[in-house]
Amino acid sequence: MVSELVKKIPARLVLYFLSWSGFLVSFMMRNDMNFALVAMVGTKNELSHNNSSLNGNNSINGSSSNQDFVKQEVEDLTELGYNGEFDWSPGVQSMIISVFYWWYVVSQVVGGVATQYFGTKNVFGWSQFATAACSLLMPLAADTNYVLVIVLRSIQGFASGLTWPAMYAIVGVWIPPIERSRFMSSFQGFSIGIGLTYPICGFIIAHWGWRYVFYFTGSVGMLWCVIWYFLAFNSPAEHPRITEQEREYIDLNVSNDIKDGQGMRVPWISIFTSLPAWSIGVTTFGRIWVHYTFIIGGPNYMKNILHFSIQKNGFLSGAPFLCSYLSSVVFCYLADVLVTNKWMTLTNVRKLFTAMSQIIPGLLVLLIGYLGDNIILILSIWFVAVSFITASYAGAMASIVDIAPNLAGPVLAFCQTIHMSASFLQPIVAGLMITDNSSLSQWQVSFMLASVVAVLTYLMFQIYGTSEIQSWNYPRESSIPSEESQEILQKPLKSKTDFDDD
């Protein structure tokens, strides 16, 4: 009875769950440090560094007013739950955060190439395993020397960089074009991952201490790897439990050109000189810049400007990302409706949702810095901005599969190499701008820059963005789509309901 029910679950739905949960777990393991570090490096250490800087610029060294200020801040922040034990300088803290993203960017092309040869199951699975193992070792590394923490974060960054190209590569094989926007919402599992990580971290730190944050995320990662091993398959042909009906439905709606393209040689020069590919990478650079303004700057802003406790900080930093998954589902569904009903061309749909994902958050992040102490309004706008960022998965991010379904992994790797550079550049630039975390005016400048970057980079996609399949997508002996794939691309695709009616 149970086995019969299991057989009725579509394999595509299982793949959606694996993709969704995989990114959820991945982002829990990569973002735990962003929040845990706030508690690991304590108030007295951070403030003593700031106090030294103040005294160095004060004609009266050891000013009693500065000392009293530091003492009061230590008492206040300790009471809020920020009890650190490591005397790590701001430079060391910045290195711990940013080194992850340096290696993350470096590994993008490696992930694209590796996936072409070893398949999504191996690349995604082993990268998650390595990231989880590093999380479990993080407390030991921190107790030993911060250099080991940097090493583990580097390994995590490199391994995590393999995940996106790996998952993108499987979409063209498994998911018919008519379902792709909806499937792309599974990638927003990362929003749930971020949204859960901060409140869970806040709760764990408040009750058991920061070490258990890493034990928790690492254990969840290991458990996910077991599930992935038994349920993930690179193609419908490899799946032992897929029904014949579902296999035939996929075969009818995914062209032979796409299926035959597996393992094809990657035309890197064509990708590097493709303006549509560059437009995706450049425009999403702006989205990532705004996104990381919230992800990395959020906990610090809520700590130093809004003065929230560690537990409230965790909940309020993470809650917008929980909501953003729901918004991504809505955006991706609307995109499919617009295309299916032919109300807009696919290219215009991609541009519309890309604009929504960058211009709206770009303007709202600027507004946040000028709302004074109106906490409710600030948090409301924060929620809306983070939610609209997810529209990109019905926009530019979905265009990656549109323009090169055979080479989605390598193209994603190319685009991620460009746009994920924002993930380490944003913290560095923000660190240069915000030398005093309690200065609202410095936060305003950082928010203004994020706004400008988001809006300006969108223009690249507006000019060069497209959903048309590029000629270099096909194996060299077939530089144009076959008759079969042209029919599939030009005619309305069969939906699952239509197939069942047949």
Side-chain angles (χ1 to χ4, degrees):
M1 178 68 176
V2 175
S3 61
E4 289 299 319
L5 290 175
V6 170
K7 288 180 180 178
K8 291 183 179 180
I9 300 175
R12 301 187 321 289
L13 181 60
V14 174
L15 182 61
Y16 183 99
F17 166 77
L18 290 172
S19 174
W20 176 85
S21 61
F23 284 115
L24 184 157
V25 172
S26 177
F27 273 73
M28 287 185 72
M29 294 187 292
R30 77 173 64 179
N31 285 292
D32 51 13
M33 182 62 77
N34 293 344
F35 197 87
L37 193 62
V38 175
M40 292 168 69
V41 180
T43 54
K44 62 180 182 294
N45 300 316
E46 183 177 325
L47 291 169
S48 65
H49 282 294
N50 292 338
N51 189 48
S52 297
S53 176
L54 286 170
N55 285 336
N57 295 309
N58 197 314
S59 60
I60 306 176
N61 285 331
S63 165
S64 60
S65 61
N66 285 340
Q67 293 172 359
D68 291 342
F69 168 78
V70 171
K71 182 179 179 182
Q72 184 61 50
E73 284 290 285
V74 169
E75 291 175 355
D76 291 346
L77 292 174
T78 298
E79 185 177 342
L80 290 173
Y82 302 97
N83 294 309
E85 59 189 82
F86 298 112
D87 188 16
W88 294 342
S89 70
V92 170
Q93 297 175 55
S94 177
M95 177 66 72
I96 290 172
I97 294 296
S98 61
V99 73
F100 176 99
Y101 300 103
W102 298 348
W103 286 101
Y104 185 88
V105 171
V106 168
S107 65
Q108 293 297 313
V109 173
V110 176
V113 174
T115 303
Q116 288 293 111
Y117 291 99
F118 301 110
T120 295
K121 180 168 184 173
N122 285 324
V123 175
F124 201 105
W126 283 108
S127 66
Q128 292 280 75
F129 178 84
T131 307
C134 288
S135 285
L136 293 173
L137 292 171
M138 201 65 74
L140 177 62
D143 289 333
T144 304
N145 192 291
Y146 70 80
V147 174
L148 293 180
V149 175
I150 293 174
V151 170
L152 290 180
R153 288 287 291 175
S154 299
I155 296 172
Q156 285 187 317
F158 187 90
S160 296
L162 307 177
T163 57
W164 285 91
M167 189 54 70
Y168 262 81
I170 209 171
V171 174
V173 179
W174 269 96
I175 309 300
I178 199 172
E179 298 178 358
R180 279 184 193 152
S181 291
R182 278 167 286 178
F183 186 85
M184 296 294 286
S185 69
S186 70
F187 294 3
Q188 280 296 312
F190 82 78
S191 296
I192 301 293
I194 299 170
L196 289 177
T197 300
Y198 290 154
I200 288 174
C201 284
F203 180 82
I204 292 175
I205 291 169
H207 291 81
W208 299 291
W210 62 266
R211 287 173 176 79
Y212 286 90
V213 167
F214 298 104
Y215 295 145
F216 173 77
T217 57
S219 298
V220 170
M222 287 295 184
L223 176 61
W224 182 89
C225 287
V226 174
I227 296 173
W228 173 262
Y229 177 80
F230 286 106
L231 297 181
F233 299 93
N234 290 317
S235 68
E238 296 179 14
H239 202 297
R241 294 180 297 275
I242 189 173
T243 64
E244 286 300 320
Q245 186 181 37
E246 184 178 11
R247 192 197 306 273
E248 187 175 349
Y249 166 70
I250 295 171
D251 286 342
L252 282 173
N253 288 290
V254 174
S255 75
N256 283 332
D257 288 310
I258 294 173
K259 289 175 282 189
D260 293 342
Q262 296 180 68
M264 66 177 282
R265 183 172 175 273
V266 180
W268 287 113
I269 294 178
S270 296
I271 294 174
F272 290 160
T273 55
S274 169
L275 285 174
W278 273 98
S279 72
I280 296 170
V282 170
T283 198
T284 49
F285 176 94
R287 177 181 62 84
I288 294 295
W289 191 286
V290 173
H291 208 189
Y292 275 76
T293 299
F294 288 109
I295 292 175
I296 295 178
N300 261 328
Y301 188 82
M302 292 192 178
K303 170 187 174 182
N304 295 287
I305 300 298
L306 304 182
H307 304 295
F308 291 144
S309 68
I310 190 79
Q311 214 163 326
K312 186 181 288 186
N313 187 336
F315 173 75
L316 293 174
S317 294
F321 295 98
L322 290 173
C323 296
S324 66
Y325 170 70
L326 298 177
S327 66
S328 73
V329 173
V330 173
F331 289 138
C332 291
Y333 174 77
L334 289 176
D336 277 346
V337 169
L338 291 173
V339 173
T340 302
N341 291 303
K342 298 182 179 180
W343 292 337
M344 295 179 70
T345 66
L346 185 56
T347 294
N348 286 335
V349 166
R350 299 303 186 218
K351 290 182 178 181
L352 170 64
F353 284 92
T354 302
M356 291 167 60
S357 72
Q358 293 195 213
I359 294 178
I360 293 176
L363 296 176
L364 292 181
V365 73
L366 176 62
L367 181 60
I368 286 172
Y370 294 91
L371 293 176
D373 58 356
N374 192 329
I375 302 298
I376 294 178
L377 185 56
I378 289 173
L379 293 178
S380 298
I381 291 177
W382 197 298
F383 273 56
V384 172
V386 173
S387 296
F388 268 88
I389 287 173
T390 64
S392 178
Y393 287 85
M397 295 302 290
S399 290
I400 292 171
V401 184
D402 294 337
I403 67 172
N406 276 338
L407 299 163
V411 174
L412 186 277
F414 169 74
C415 295
Q416 289 252 97
T417 301
I418 299 170
H419 74 233
M420 284 309 297
S421 60
S423 64
F424 65 80
L425 289 176
Q426 190 280 330
I428 291 174
V429 173
L432 294 173
M433 289 182 167
I434 306 172
T435 56
D436 177 5
N437 282 325
S438 61
S439 171
L440 178 59
S441 62
Q442 293 183 8
W443 280 98
Q444 288 171 343
V445 174
S446 178
F447 290 159
M448 183 179 296
L449 177 62
S451 178
V452 171
V453 171
V455 174
L456 290 183
T457 54
Y458 164 72
L459 297 178
M460 181 75 174
F461 191 78
Q462 177 62 36
I463 297 170
Y464 296 109
T466 182
S467 63
E468 299 297 323
I469 294 183
Q470 304 300 293
S471 61
W472 43 264
N473 169 73
Y474 302 98
R476 180 167 295 179
E477 61 273 13
S478 176
S479 59
I480 59 173
S482 67
E483 291 184 8
E484 177 203 4
S485 63
Q486 286 186 32
E487 288 182 14
I488 290 176
L489 292 169
Q490 293 173 6
K491 292 181 179 180
L493 297 179
K494 276 194 171 188
S495 68
K496 185 69 171 65
T497 305
D498 294 335
F499 185 78
D500 290 341
D501 290 341
D502 290 347

